[in-house]
Amino acid sequence: MTPIRLCLAGATGWAGSAVARAIAHTPDISLVAAVSHRHAQRNLRDVLNEPALDCPIYASAEEALSQPCDVFFEYTKPEAAKANVLAALRHEAHVVVGTSGLSDADYADIAALATEQWRGVLAVGNFALTVVLLQKFAEIAARYIPQWEIIDYASDGKKDAPSGTVRELDYRLAQVRQAQPTIPIAQTQGVGETRGARMNSTQVHAIRLPGFNIGAEVIFGMPDQTLTLRHNAGSSAAPYVDGALLAIRKVSGLIGLHRGLDRVIEF
């Protein structure tokens, strides 16, 4: 079986390096190019001290895509992610998006090009299995409970808000129904901003403080009862590796934009 040729953007980052090290011991995936502006023109094996990763590092996605690849994995920063994904699609690669911070408008542009190029894009706000389950359970709850709000947790160093995890959760809930607050947000008395930001029909509250890792909480409310679903991440990137490898293996079977790891998981 011919290995999947992968270009990994963000290969020396916190999460990207964990994925790269896993690929070093994964026979069905071959890392052919990496993107890291800081470590450009070096070899990934030397940067990560992993002898099995004999892979050149490029400063940009455009340069890295000079190496033919089957799948492009975007794991960089929000300000570069959209351009990287569009470049990969133009080079006829399938794409896995792990970078957070892309808007629904960004994804609309990506979806259009993916369909035009007849390529698959799998956008995953969080590759952890517990997040996949949180999303599925929340979708079920929203069918029966008309009111909810989301709390987004992350460290003080995370610039984008809300996180990709929460953007994806909000998007999914909006596909089920619109949240129906008892008092319309526009009628809030006092400081309206304390009610959070409105995304689709959901109130989202982003917390950025030292001591937090990535987390997401959705609270559903009915008279005299509440339901809370919460995901908490640890300090390592280990929970995201298996999901990332699964996405790489499955994305070539897709056409157009698909959001969420559950699109390639059987429940």
Side-chain angles (χ1 to χ4, degrees):
M1 182 176 181
T2 304
I4 299 167
R5 298 173 299 173
L6 178 73
C7 176
L8 177 57
T12 61
W14 176 71
S17 61
V19 173
R21 288 189 171 96
I23 290 171
H25 306 284
T26 303
D28 63 327
I29 303 173
S30 175
L31 197 52
V32 297
V35 179
S36 172
H37 183 75
R38 179 182 176 186
H39 298 287
Q41 300 183 1
R42 298 182 63 188
N43 193 293
L44 192 60
R45 70 180 172 218
D46 300 324
V47 175
L48 298 186
N49 194 28
E50 175 54 71
L53 289 176
D54 185 8
C55 171
I57 302 175
Y58 297 87
S60 69
E62 277 288 356
E63 292 175 310
L65 287 163
S66 64
Q67 294 286 338
C69 67
D70 304 305
V71 176
F72 179 89
F73 197 119
E74 165 53 38
Y75 230 159
T76 62
K77 297 180 180 180
E79 55 266 29
K82 180 181 178 181
N84 290 350
V85 172
L86 295 178
L89 288 170
R90 293 189 187 102
H91 281 78
E92 301 184 341
H94 298 279
V95 181
V96 176
V97 183
T99 303
S100 63
L102 292 172
S103 67
D104 288 343
D106 293 330
Y107 279 125
D109 293 339
I110 290 169
L113 184 58
T115 301
E116 178 185 322
Q117 294 291 96
W118 208 243
R119 289 295 181 270
V121 175
L122 182 58
V124 181
N126 192 309
F127 291 96
L129 177 59
T130 51
V131 168
V132 177
L133 294 173
L134 168 65
Q135 293 168 345
K136 298 299 288 186
F137 294 157
E139 287 174 327
I140 294 170
R143 297 174 194 163
Y144 301 97
I145 307 176
Q147 296 189 47
W148 64 81
E149 299 194 14
I150 298 174
I151 304 175
D152 173 33
Y153 299 96
S155 70
D156 56 319
K158 186 172 180 59
K159 292 183 178 180
D160 59 302
S163 65
T165 302
V166 167
R167 285 180 183 272
E168 184 63 31
L169 178 58
D170 166 70
Y171 171 81
R172 286 166 171 272
L173 290 172
Q175 308 311 303
V176 177
R177 66 155 78 182
Q178 301 290 295
Q180 303 168 17
T182 302
I183 299 174
I185 300 303
Q187 297 179 20
T188 299
Q189 296 181 0
V191 182
E193 290 79 6
T194 61
R195 291 290 288 112
R198 196 155 186 81
M199 296 181 60
N200 293 307
S201 70
T202 297
Q203 294 306 116
V204 178
H205 313 263
I207 294 174
R208 297 291 181 268
L209 286 172
F212 281 101
N213 292 311
I214 294 173
E217 181 176 19
V218 55
I219 304 173
F220 294 88
M222 298 177 72
D224 291 326
Q225 55 188 321
T226 62
L227 170 67
T228 300
L229 301 173
R230 178 165 175 167
H231 156 79
N232 290 312
S235 58
S236 81
Y240 314 123
V241 170
D242 288 342
L245 297 179
L246 176 64
I248 293 167
R249 293 181 175 115
K250 294 291 188 177
V251 68
S252 61
L254 305 175
I255 299 296
L257 173 68
H258 300 260
R259 295 177 64 165
L261 189 63
D262 64 310
R263 299 297 186 251
V264 294
I265 293 179
E266 295 182 5
F267 285 93

